[in-house]
Amino acid sequence: MDIVVKGRKTEVPERFRKHVAEKLKLDKIQKLDGKVISLDVEVSKEHNPRQSDRADRVEITLRSRGPVIRAEAAAADPYAALDLAASKLEARMRKQHDKRHTRRGNGRIPASDVAVTVPNAARINGHGDIAPQRTTETVPTTRMGPLEVQGEGPLVVREKTHAAAPMSLDQALYEMELVGHDFYLFVDSDTNQPSVVYRRHGYDYGVIHLQPEAFVGEAPGGAGGALGG
């Protein structure tokens, strides 16, 4: 397997290509995923002087027999961006490696330890039947903003408010890729509507625009649901 380094609207010097080969060690990558097919590194440059602190962007795409793993980062120079992207790639590869490792059976809890390890697990008596619970505890209720949560979760509510300057759809896609998220909220500069862009499949994207509408005689519907549609 070779590492393919290419530039998008920019030249890639030979020195940087050598640095990529030194930074992305193939033996280490193949140790985490022995079915790697290709590893592509794309370098691009943002010529907007207001974004000089993240002018150089590096995107690493690893393709194997499993899911595609991508990592991108932007910094003031391509070497710093490569270091950040390489760290993200390794972290995501380790996560995928551990996930495969767990699916094969490692890390499973023995039946004898379930009652100790898993909270509120059902207990089995000597006849193989479910034993009655010894005590009944009152489930605490916690108020989190406008919601009430019973027990310790798993609902976690975190409220954030951001100032949003209107931007184009292309800029919103670019910002989403920079932060490495699967979606990005923004105000569309063409329509002045609250909108969200999201990643669907591979390099396919979608966009949702919210438009206030008066409902007469019926409850208003939400904009919820899966983003992948």
Side-chain angles (χ1 to χ4, degrees), residues 123-172:
R123 297 178 179 273
I124 306 298
N125 59 24
H127 302 286
D129 300 323
I130 297 178
Q133 297 293 329
R134 298 177 181 177
T135 58
T136 302
E137 298 180 356
T138 302
V139 179
T141 301
T142 305
R143 175 168 288 277
M144 305 180 71
L147 303 175
E148 287 188 354
V149 182
Q150 291 187 339
E152 299 180 354
L155 179 62
V156 176
V157 176
R158 179 182 299 172
E159 296 183 352
K160 287 187 178 181
T161 302
H162 296 277
M167 65 179 65
S168 65
L169 177 59
D170 288 343
Q171 182 65 23

Side-chain angles (χ1 to χ4, degrees), residues 92-108:
R92 291 172 185 176
M93 288 190 67
R94 289 190 179 278
K95 183 177 180 180
Q96 186 67 22
H97 176 268
D98 294 342
K99 190 175 182 180
R100 291 195 304 267
H101 199 61
T102 302
R103 284 178 177 175
R104 290 175 186 153
N106 292 338
R108 290 183 177 177

